[in-house]
Amino acid sequence: MCPKFEKDKTITFSIKEEEKDRERRAALRAVYDALSEKGYNPLNQLVGYILTEDPTYITNHRNARAIMSRMDRDELMAAILKKYLDL
């Protein structure tokens, strides 16, 4: 028998910021490594993608483009700025 659920109550699920940071870091590292393997300057390519959201800055090698497209650019920029500013 299933427990009764309130129809008007919404349960929220939240991943801790630490976990999100780990996931972003792992995704960025995977994309960075894929770009390096293909002979690109990974920093330049990532900056180009972040500024324009043009997926052609990211290689398809090792599924890097798909990985990058799943990341929210605004969240990524906020995380980068927080890290840079030591916040």
Coordinates of all heavy atoms in Angstrom, one line a residue:
M1 N 0.8 -1.2 0.0 CA 0.0 0.0 0.0 C 0.9 1.2 0.0 O 1.8 1.3 0.8 CB -0.9 0.0 1.2 CG -1.9 1.0 1.2 SD -2.8 0.9 2.8 CE -4.4 1.0 2.3
C2 N 0.6 2.2 -0.8 CA 1.4 3.4 -1.0 C 1.0 4.4 0.1 O -0.2 4.5 0.5 CB 1.1 4.1 -2.3 SG 1.8 3.1 -3.7
P3 N 1.9 5.1 0.6 CA 1.6 6.2 1.6 C 0.8 7.3 0.9 O 0.9 7.5 -0.3 CB 2.9 6.7 2.1 CG 3.9 6.3 1.0 CD 3.4 5.1 0.4
K4 N -0.1 8.0 1.7 CA -0.8 9.1 1.1 C 0.1 10.3 0.9 O 0.9 10.6 1.8 CB -2.0 9.4 2.0 CG -3.2 8.5 1.9 CD -4.3 9.1 2.6 CE -5.6 8.2 2.3 NZ -6.8 8.8 2.9
F5 N -0.1 10.9 -0.2 CA 0.7 12.1 -0.5 C -0.3 13.3 -0.6 O -1.4 13.2 -1.1 CB 1.4 12.0 -1.8 CG 2.5 11.0 -1.8 CD1 2.3 9.8 -2.4 CD2 3.7 11.3 -1.2 CE1 3.3 8.8 -2.3 CE2 4.7 10.3 -1.2 CZ 4.5 9.1 -1.8
E6 N 0.1 14.4 -0.1 CA -0.7 15.6 -0.2 C -0.6 16.2 -1.6 O 0.5 16.3 -2.1 CB -0.2 16.7 0.8 CG -0.4 16.3 2.3 CD 0.0 17.4 3.2 OE1 -0.2 18.6 2.9 OE2 0.7 17.1 4.2
K7 N -1.7 16.4 -2.2 CA -1.7 16.9 -3.6 C -1.1 18.3 -3.8 O -0.5 18.6 -4.8 CB -3.1 16.9 -4.2 CG -3.6 15.5 -4.4 CD -5.0 15.6 -5.0 CE -5.6 14.1 -5.1 NZ -6.9 14.2 -5.6
D8 N -1.2 19.1 -2.8 CA -0.7 20.5 -2.9 C 0.7 20.7 -2.4 O 1.2 21.8 -2.5 CB -1.7 21.5 -2.2 CG -3.0 21.5 -2.9 OD1 -3.1 21.2 -4.1 OD2 -4.0 21.8 -2.2
K9 N 1.3 19.7 -1.9 CA 2.6 19.8 -1.3 C 3.7 19.4 -2.3 O 3.6 18.3 -2.9 CB 2.8 19.1 0.0 CG 4.1 19.3 0.7 CD 4.1 18.7 2.0 CE 5.4 19.0 2.6 NZ 5.5 18.8 4.1
T10 N 4.7 20.2 -2.6 CA 5.7 19.8 -3.5 C 7.0 19.6 -2.7 O 7.4 20.4 -1.8 CB 6.0 21.0 -4.5 OG1 4.8 21.3 -5.2 CG2 7.2 20.6 -5.4
I11 N 7.6 18.5 -2.9 CA 8.9 18.1 -2.3 C 10.0 18.6 -3.2 O 10.0 18.3 -4.4 CB 8.9 16.6 -2.0 CG1 7.8 16.1 -1.1 CG2 10.3 16.2 -1.4 CD1 7.7 14.6 -0.9
T12 N 10.9 19.3 -2.7 CA 12.0 19.7 -3.5 C 13.3 18.9 -3.3 O 13.5 18.3 -2.2 CB 12.4 21.2 -3.2 OG1 12.8 21.3 -1.8 CG2 11.2 22.1 -3.5
F13 N 14.0 18.7 -4.3 CA 15.3 18.0 -4.3 C 16.4 18.9 -4.6 O 16.3 19.7 -5.5 CB 15.3 16.8 -5.3 CG 16.5 16.1 -5.3 CD1 16.8 15.1 -4.4 CD2 17.5 16.3 -6.3 CE1 18.0 14.4 -4.4 CE2 18.7 15.6 -6.4 CZ 18.9 14.7 -5.4
S14 N 17.4 19.0 -3.8 CA 18.5 19.9 -4.0 C 19.8 19.2 -3.8 O 20.1 18.5 -2.9 CB 18.4 21.0 -2.9 OG 19.5 21.9 -3.1
I15 N 20.7 19.4 -4.8 CA 22.0 18.9 -4.8 C 22.9 20.0 -4.1 O 22.8 21.1 -4.5 CB 22.6 18.5 -6.2 CG1 21.8 17.4 -6.8 CG2 24.0 18.2 -6.1 CD1 22.2 17.1 -8.2
K16 N 23.7 19.6 -3.2 CA 24.5 20.6 -2.5 C 25.4 21.3 -3.5 O 25.8 20.7 -4.5 CB 25.3 19.9 -1.4 CG 24.5 19.4 -0.3 CD 25.4 18.8 0.8 CE 24.6 18.3 1.9 NZ 25.4 17.6 2.9
E17 N 25.7 22.5 -3.3 CA 26.6 23.3 -4.2 C 27.9 22.6 -4.4 O 28.5 22.6 -5.5 CB 26.8 24.7 -3.6 CG 27.4 25.7 -4.6 CD 26.5 25.9 -5.8 OE1 25.3 25.9 -5.7 OE2 27.1 26.1 -6.9
E18 N 28.4 21.9 -3.3 CA 29.7 21.2 -3.4 C 29.6 20.1 -4.5 O 30.5 20.0 -5.3 CB 30.0 20.5 -2.1 CG 31.1 21.1 -1.3 CD 31.3 20.4 0.0 OE1 31.4 19.2 0.0 OE2 31.3 21.1 1.0
E19 N 28.5 19.4 -4.5 CA 28.3 18.4 -5.5 C 28.2 18.9 -6.9 O 28.8 18.4 -7.9 CB 27.1 17.5 -5.2 CG 26.8 16.4 -6.1 CD 27.9 15.3 -6.1 OE1 28.6 15.2 -5.1 OE2 28.1 14.6 -7.1
K20 N 27.5 20.0 -7.0 CA 27.4 20.7 -8.3 C 28.8 21.1 -8.8 O 29.1 21.0 -10.0 CB 26.5 21.9 -8.3 CG 25.0 21.6 -8.3 CD 24.2 22.8 -8.3 CE 22.7 22.5 -8.3 NZ 21.9 23.8 -8.4
D21 N 29.6 21.7 -7.9 CA 30.9 22.1 -8.3 C 31.8 20.9 -8.8 O 32.5 21.0 -9.7 CB 31.6 22.8 -7.1 CG 31.2 24.2 -6.9 OD1 30.5 24.8 -7.8 OD2 31.5 24.7 -5.8
R22 N 31.7 19.8 -8.1 CA 32.4 18.6 -8.5 C 32.0 18.1 -9.9 O 32.8 17.8 -10.7 CB 32.2 17.5 -7.5 CG 33.2 17.4 -6.4 CD 33.2 16.1 -5.7 NE 31.9 15.9 -4.9 CZ 31.7 16.3 -3.7 NH1 32.7 16.9 -3.0 NH2 30.6 16.2 -3.1
E23 N 30.7 18.2 -10.1 CA 30.2 17.7 -11.4 C 30.6 18.7 -12.5 O 31.0 18.2 -13.6 CB 28.6 17.7 -11.4 CG 28.1 16.5 -10.5 CD 26.6 16.6 -10.4 OE1 25.9 17.5 -11.0 OE2 26.1 15.7 -9.6
R24 N 30.6 20.0 -12.3 CA 31.0 21.0 -13.3 C 32.5 20.8 -13.5 O 32.9 20.8 -14.7 CB 30.8 22.4 -12.8 CG 29.4 22.9 -13.1 CD 29.3 24.4 -12.8 NE 29.4 24.8 -11.4 CZ 28.3 25.0 -10.7 NH1 27.1 24.8 -11.2 NH2 28.5 25.3 -9.4
R25 N 33.3 20.6 -12.5 CA 34.7 20.4 -12.6 C 35.1 19.2 -13.4 O 35.9 19.2 -14.3 CB 35.4 20.3 -11.2 CG 36.9 20.4 -11.3 CD 37.5 20.3 -9.9 NE 37.0 21.4 -9.0 CZ 37.6 22.5 -8.9 NH1 38.7 22.8 -9.5 NH2 37.0 23.4 -8.0
A26 N 34.4 18.1 -13.2 CA 34.6 16.9 -13.9 C 34.2 17.0 -15.4 O 34.9 16.6 -16.3 CB 33.8 15.7 -13.3
A27 N 33.1 17.7 -15.6 CA 32.6 17.9 -17.0 C 33.6 18.8 -17.8 O 34.0 18.5 -18.9 CB 31.2 18.5 -17.0
L28 N 34.0 19.9 -17.1 CA 35.0 20.8 -17.8 C 36.3 20.1 -18.0 O 36.9 20.3 -19.1 CB 35.2 22.0 -16.9 CG 34.2 23.1 -17.0 CD1 34.4 24.2 -16.0 CD2 34.1 23.7 -18.4
R29 N 36.8 19.3 -17.1 CA 38.0 18.5 -17.3 C 37.9 17.6 -18.5 O 38.8 17.5 -19.3 CB 38.4 17.8 -16.0 CG 39.6 16.9 -16.1 CD 40.8 17.6 -16.7 NE 41.4 18.5 -15.8 CZ 42.5 19.2 -16.0 NH1 43.1 19.1 -17.2 NH2 43.0 20.0 -15.1
A30 N 36.8 16.9 -18.6 CA 36.6 16.0 -19.7 C 36.6 16.7 -21.0 O 37.2 16.3 -22.0 CB 35.3 15.2 -19.5
V31 N 35.9 17.9 -21.1 CA 35.9 18.7 -22.3 C 37.3 19.2 -22.6 O 37.8 19.2 -23.7 CB 34.9 19.8 -22.2 CG1 35.0 20.8 -23.4 CG2 33.5 19.2 -22.1
Y32 N 38.0 19.7 -21.6 CA 39.4 20.2 -21.7 C 40.3 19.1 -22.3 O 41.0 19.4 -23.2 CB 39.9 20.7 -20.4 CG 41.2 21.3 -20.4 CD1 41.4 22.7 -20.4 CD2 42.4 20.5 -20.3 CE1 42.7 23.2 -20.5 CE2 43.7 21.0 -20.3 CZ 43.8 22.4 -20.4 OH 45.1 23.0 -20.4
D33 N 40.2 17.9 -21.7 CA 41.1 16.8 -22.2 C 40.7 16.5 -23.6 O 41.7 16.2 -24.4 CB 40.9 15.6 -21.3 CG 41.5 15.9 -19.9 OD1 42.3 16.8 -19.7 OD2 41.2 15.1 -19.0
A34 N 39.5 16.4 -24.0 CA 39.1 16.1 -25.4 C 39.6 17.1 -26.3 O 40.1 16.8 -27.4 CB 37.6 16.0 -25.5
L35 N 39.5 18.4 -26.0 CA 40.0 19.5 -26.9 C 41.5 19.3 -27.0 O 42.1 19.5 -28.1 CB 39.6 20.8 -26.3 CG 38.2 21.2 -26.4 CD1 37.8 22.4 -25.5 CD2 37.8 21.6 -27.9
S36 N 42.2 19.1 -25.9 CA 43.7 18.9 -25.9 C 44.1 17.7 -26.8 O 45.0 17.9 -27.6 CB 44.2 18.6 -24.5 OG 44.1 19.8 -23.7
E37 N 43.4 16.6 -26.7 CA 43.7 15.4 -27.5 C 43.5 15.7 -29.0 O 44.3 15.2 -29.8 CB 42.8 14.3 -27.1 CG 43.1 13.6 -25.8 CD 42.1 12.5 -25.4 OE1 41.3 12.1 -26.3 OE2 42.2 12.1 -24.3
K38 N 42.6 16.6 -29.4 CA 42.4 16.9 -30.8 C 43.3 18.0 -31.3 O 43.3 18.4 -32.4 CB 41.0 17.3 -31.0 CG 40.0 16.2 -30.8 CD 40.2 15.0 -31.7 CE 39.8 15.2 -33.1 NZ 40.0 14.1 -34.0
G39 N 44.2 18.6 -30.4 CA 45.2 19.6 -30.8 C 44.7 21.0 -30.7 O 45.4 21.9 -31.1
Y40 N 43.6 21.3 -30.1 CA 43.1 22.6 -29.9 C 43.7 23.2 -28.6 O 44.1 22.5 -27.7 CB 41.6 22.6 -29.8 CG 40.8 22.2 -31.0 CD1 40.2 20.9 -31.0 CD2 40.8 23.0 -32.1 CE1 39.6 20.5 -32.1 CE2 40.1 22.5 -33.2 CZ 39.5 21.3 -33.2 OH 38.8 20.8 -34.3
N41 N 43.7 24.6 -28.5 CA 44.0 25.3 -27.3 C 42.7 25.2 -26.5 O 41.7 26.0 -26.8 CB 44.4 26.7 -27.6 CG 44.7 27.4 -26.3 OD1 44.1 27.3 -25.3 ND2 45.7 28.3 -26.4
P42 N 42.6 24.4 -25.5 CA 41.3 24.2 -24.7 C 40.8 25.5 -24.1 O 39.6 25.7 -24.1 CB 41.7 23.2 -23.7 CG 43.0 22.6 -24.0 CD 43.6 23.5 -24.9
L43 N 41.7 26.3 -23.5 CA 41.2 27.5 -22.9 C 40.6 28.5 -23.9 O 39.5 29.0 -23.6 CB 42.3 28.2 -22.1 CG 42.9 27.5 -20.9 CD1 44.0 28.2 -20.3 CD2 41.8 27.2 -19.9
N44 N 41.2 28.6 -25.0 CA 40.6 29.5 -26.0 C 39.3 29.0 -26.5 O 38.3 29.8 -26.7 CB 41.6 29.7 -27.2 CG 42.8 30.5 -26.9 OD1 42.8 31.2 -25.9 ND2 43.7 30.5 -27.8
Q45 N 39.2 27.7 -26.7 CA 37.9 27.1 -27.2 C 36.8 27.2 -26.2 O 35.7 27.5 -26.5 CB 38.2 25.6 -27.6 CG 39.2 25.4 -28.7 CD 38.8 26.1 -30.0 OE1 39.5 27.0 -30.4 NE2 37.7 25.7 -30.6
L46 N 37.2 27.0 -24.9 CA 36.2 27.1 -23.9 C 35.7 28.5 -23.7 O 34.5 28.8 -23.5 CB 36.7 26.5 -22.5 CG 36.8 25.0 -22.5 CD1 37.7 24.6 -21.3 CD2 35.4 24.4 -22.4
V47 N 36.6 29.5 -23.7 CA 36.2 30.9 -23.7 C 35.3 31.2 -24.8 O 34.3 31.9 -24.6 CB 37.4 31.8 -23.6 CG1 37.1 33.3 -23.8 CG2 38.2 31.6 -22.3
G48 N 35.6 30.8 -26.0 CA 34.8 31.1 -27.2 C 33.4 30.5 -27.0 O 32.4 31.2 -27.3
Y49 N 33.3 29.3 -26.5 CA 32.0 28.7 -26.3 C 31.2 29.5 -25.2 O 30.0 29.8 -25.4 CB 32.1 27.2 -25.8 CG 30.8 26.7 -25.5 CD1 29.9 26.3 -26.5 CD2 30.4 26.6 -24.1 CE1 28.6 25.8 -26.1 CE2 29.2 26.1 -23.8 CZ 28.3 25.7 -24.8 OH 27.0 25.2 -24.5
I50 N 31.9 29.8 -24.1 CA 31.2 30.5 -23.0 C 30.7 31.8 -23.4 O 29.6 32.2 -23.1 CB 32.1 30.6 -21.7 CG1 32.3 29.2 -21.1 CG2 31.5 31.5 -20.7 CD1 33.4 29.1 -20.1
L51 N 31.5 32.5 -24.2 CA 31.0 33.9 -24.7 C 29.9 33.8 -25.7 O 29.0 34.7 -25.7 CB 32.2 34.6 -25.3 CG 33.3 35.1 -24.3 CD1 34.5 35.7 -25.0 CD2 32.7 36.0 -23.2
T52 N 29.9 32.8 -26.6 CA 29.0 32.8 -27.7 C 27.9 31.7 -27.6 O 26.9 31.8 -28.3 CB 29.7 32.6 -29.0 OG1 30.3 31.3 -29.0 CG2 30.8 33.7 -29.2
E53 N 28.1 30.7 -26.8 CA 27.3 29.5 -26.8 C 27.2 28.8 -28.1 O 26.3 28.0 -28.4 CB 25.9 29.8 -26.2 CG 25.3 28.6 -25.6 CD 24.0 28.8 -24.9 OE1 23.5 30.0 -25.0 OE2 23.5 27.9 -24.2
D54 N 28.2 29.0 -29.0 CA 28.3 28.4 -30.3 C 29.0 27.0 -30.1 O 30.1 26.9 -29.7 CB 29.1 29.2 -31.2 CG 29.3 28.6 -32.6 OD1 28.9 27.5 -32.8 OD2 29.8 29.4 -33.5
P55 N 28.2 25.9 -30.3 CA 28.8 24.6 -30.0 C 30.0 24.2 -30.9 O 30.7 23.3 -30.5 CB 27.6 23.7 -30.2 CG 26.7 24.4 -31.1 CD 26.9 25.9 -30.8
T56 N 30.2 24.9 -32.0 CA 31.3 24.5 -32.9 C 32.6 24.8 -32.3 O 33.6 24.4 -32.8 CB 31.1 25.2 -34.2 OG1 31.1 26.6 -34.1 CG2 29.9 24.7 -34.9
Y57 N 32.7 25.5 -31.2 CA 33.9 25.7 -30.5 C 34.4 24.5 -29.7 O 35.5 24.4 -29.3 CB 33.8 26.9 -29.4 CG 33.9 28.3 -30.0 CD1 32.8 29.0 -30.2 CD2 35.2 28.8 -30.4 CE1 32.9 30.3 -30.7 CE2 35.3 30.1 -30.9 CZ 34.1 30.8 -31.1 OH 34.2 32.1 -31.6
I58 N 33.5 23.5 -29.5 CA 33.8 22.3 -28.8 C 33.7 21.1 -29.7 O 32.8 21.0 -30.5 CB 32.7 22.1 -27.6 CG1 32.7 23.4 -26.8 CG2 33.1 20.9 -26.8 CD1 33.9 23.8 -26.0
T59 N 34.7 20.3 -29.6 CA 34.8 19.1 -30.5 C 33.8 18.1 -30.1 O 33.3 18.1 -28.9 CB 36.2 18.5 -30.4 OG1 36.3 17.3 -31.2 CG2 36.6 18.1 -29.0
N60 N 33.4 17.2 -31.0 CA 32.6 16.1 -30.7 C 33.4 14.9 -30.1 O 32.8 14.0 -29.6 CB 31.8 15.6 -32.0 CG 30.6 16.4 -32.3 OD1 29.8 16.7 -31.4 ND2 30.4 16.7 -33.5
H61 N 34.7 15.0 -30.2 CA 35.5 13.9 -29.7 C 35.2 13.6 -28.2 O 35.1 14.6 -27.4 CB 37.0 14.4 -29.8 CG 38.0 13.4 -29.4 ND1 38.2 12.1 -29.9 CD2 38.9 13.5 -28.4 CE1 39.1 11.5 -29.3 NE2 39.6 12.3 -28.3
R62 N 35.1 12.4 -27.9 CA 34.8 11.9 -26.5 C 33.5 12.5 -26.0 O 33.3 12.8 -24.8 CB 35.9 12.2 -25.6 CG 37.2 11.4 -26.0 CD 38.4 11.8 -25.1 NE 38.4 11.0 -23.9 CZ 39.1 11.3 -22.9 NH1 39.9 12.4 -22.9 NH2 39.1 10.6 -21.8
N63 N 32.6 12.9 -26.9 CA 31.3 13.4 -26.5 C 31.3 14.7 -25.8 O 30.4 15.1 -25.1 CB 30.5 12.4 -25.7 CG 29.0 12.4 -25.8 OD1 28.5 12.8 -26.9 ND2 28.3 12.1 -24.8
A64 N 32.4 15.5 -26.1 CA 32.7 16.8 -25.4 C 31.6 17.8 -25.6 O 31.2 18.5 -24.7 CB 34.0 17.3 -25.7
R65 N 31.1 17.9 -26.9 CA 30.1 18.9 -27.2 C 28.8 18.6 -26.5 O 28.2 19.5 -25.9 CB 29.9 18.9 -28.7 CG 29.0 20.1 -29.2 CD 28.9 20.1 -30.7 NE 30.2 20.5 -31.3 CZ 30.4 20.4 -32.6 NH1 29.5 20.0 -33.4 NH2 31.6 20.8 -33.0
A66 N 28.4 17.4 -26.4 CA 27.2 17.0 -25.6 C 27.4 17.3 -24.1 O 26.4 17.8 -23.5 CB 26.8 15.6 -25.8
I67 N 28.5 17.0 -23.6 CA 28.8 17.3 -22.2 C 28.7 18.8 -21.9 O 28.0 19.2 -21.0 CB 30.2 16.8 -21.8 CG1 30.2 15.3 -21.8 CG2 30.6 17.3 -20.4 CD1 31.6 14.7 -21.7
M68 N 29.3 19.6 -22.8 CA 29.3 21.0 -22.6 C 27.9 21.6 -22.8 O 27.5 22.5 -22.0 CB 30.3 21.7 -23.6 CG 30.8 23.0 -23.2 SD 31.8 22.9 -21.7 CE 31.6 24.6 -21.2
S69 N 27.1 21.1 -23.7 CA 25.8 21.6 -24.0 C 24.8 21.4 -22.8 O 23.8 22.1 -22.7 CB 25.2 21.1 -25.3 OG 24.9 19.7 -25.1
R70 N 25.1 20.4 -21.9 CA 24.3 20.1 -20.8 C 24.5 21.1 -19.6 O 23.8 21.2 -18.7 CB 24.4 18.7 -20.3 CG 23.8 17.7 -21.2 CD 23.8 16.3 -20.6 NE 25.1 15.7 -20.4 CZ 25.7 14.9 -21.3 NH1 25.1 14.6 -22.4 NH2 26.9 14.5 -21.0
M71 N 25.6 21.8 -19.7 CA 26.0 22.7 -18.6 C 25.3 24.1 -18.8 O 25.2 24.6 -19.9 CB 27.5 23.0 -18.6 CG 28.3 21.7 -18.3 SD 30.0 22.0 -18.2 CE 30.1 22.9 -16.7
D72 N 24.8 24.7 -17.7 CA 24.2 26.0 -17.8 C 25.3 27.0 -17.8 O 26.1 27.1 -16.8 CB 23.3 26.1 -16.6 CG 22.5 27.5 -16.6 OD1 23.2 28.5 -16.3 OD2 21.3 27.5 -16.9
R73 N 25.3 27.8 -18.8 CA 26.4 28.9 -19.0 C 26.4 29.9 -17.8 O 27.4 30.3 -17.3 CB 26.3 29.6 -20.3 CG 27.0 29.0 -21.4 CD 27.1 29.8 -22.6 NE 26.0 30.8 -22.7 CZ 26.1 31.9 -23.4 NH1 27.2 32.3 -24.0 NH2 25.0 32.8 -23.5
D74 N 25.2 30.3 -17.4 CA 25.1 31.3 -16.3 C 25.7 30.7 -15.0 O 26.4 31.4 -14.3 CB 23.7 31.7 -16.1 CG 23.2 32.5 -17.3 OD1 24.0 33.1 -18.1 OD2 21.9 32.6 -17.5
E75 N 25.3 29.5 -14.7 CA 25.8 28.8 -13.5 C 27.3 28.6 -13.6 O 28.0 28.8 -12.6 CB 25.1 27.5 -13.3 CG 23.7 27.6 -12.8 CD 23.1 26.2 -12.6 OE1 23.8 25.2 -12.7 OE2 21.8 26.1 -12.4
L76 N 27.8 28.3 -14.8 CA 29.2 28.1 -15.0 C 29.9 29.4 -14.8 O 31.0 29.4 -14.0 CB 29.5 27.5 -16.4 CG 30.9 27.3 -16.8 CD1 31.6 26.4 -15.8 CD2 31.0 26.8 -18.2
M77 N 29.5 30.5 -15.3 CA 30.1 31.8 -15.2 C 30.1 32.2 -13.7 O 31.1 32.7 -13.2 CB 29.4 32.8 -16.0 CG 29.8 32.8 -17.5 SD 31.5 33.0 -17.8 CE 31.7 34.7 -17.2
A78 N 29.0 32.0 -13.0 CA 28.9 32.3 -11.6 C 29.9 31.5 -10.8 O 30.6 32.1 -9.9 CB 27.5 32.1 -11.1
A79 N 30.0 30.3 -11.1 CA 31.0 29.4 -10.4 C 32.4 29.9 -10.6 O 33.2 29.9 -9.7 CB 30.8 27.9 -10.8
I80 N 32.7 30.2 -11.9 CA 34.1 30.7 -12.2 C 34.4 32.0 -11.5 O 35.5 32.1 -10.9 CB 34.2 30.8 -13.7 CG1 34.2 29.5 -14.4 CG2 35.5 31.6 -14.1 CD1 34.0 29.5 -15.9
L81 N 33.4 32.9 -11.5 CA 33.6 34.2 -10.8 C 33.8 34.0 -9.3 O 34.7 34.6 -8.7 CB 32.5 35.2 -11.1 CG 32.5 35.7 -12.5 CD1 31.2 36.5 -12.8 CD2 33.7 36.6 -12.7
K82 N 33.0 33.1 -8.7 CA 33.1 32.9 -7.3 C 34.5 32.3 -6.9 O 35.1 32.7 -5.9 CB 32.0 31.9 -6.8 CG 30.6 32.5 -6.7 CD 29.6 31.5 -6.4 CE 29.7 31.0 -5.0 NZ 28.6 30.1 -4.6
K83 N 34.9 31.4 -7.8 CA 36.3 30.8 -7.5 C 37.4 31.9 -7.7 O 38.3 32.0 -6.9 CB 36.5 29.6 -8.5 CG 37.7 28.9 -8.2 CD 37.5 28.0 -7.0 CE 38.7 27.1 -6.8 NZ 38.7 26.4 -5.6
Y84 N 37.3 32.7 -8.7 CA 38.3 33.7 -9.0 C 38.3 34.7 -7.9 O 39.4 35.2 -7.6 CB 38.0 34.3 -10.4 CG 39.1 35.2 -10.9 CD1 40.2 34.7 -11.5 CD2 38.9 36.6 -10.7 CE1 41.2 35.6 -11.9 CE2 39.9 37.5 -11.2 CZ 41.1 36.9 -11.7 OH 42.1 37.8 -12.2
L85 N 37.1 35.1 -7.4 CA 37.1 36.1 -6.4 C 37.2 35.6 -5.0 O 37.1 36.3 -4.0 CB 35.7 36.9 -6.5 CG 35.6 37.7 -7.8 CD1 34.1 38.2 -7.9 CD2 36.6 38.8 -7.9
D86 N 37.4 34.3 -4.8 CA 37.5 33.6 -3.5 C 36.3 33.9 -2.6 O 36.5 34.2 -1.5 CB 38.8 34.1 -2.8 CG 40.1 33.6 -3.5 OD1 40.1 32.4 -4.0 OD2 41.1 34.3 -3.5
L87 N 35.1 33.8 -3.2 CA 33.9 34.0 -2.5 C 33.4 32.7 -1.9 O 33.5 31.6 -2.4 CB 32.8 34.6 -3.3 CG 33.2 35.9 -4.0 CD1 32.1 36.4 -4.9 CD2 33.4 37.0 -2.9

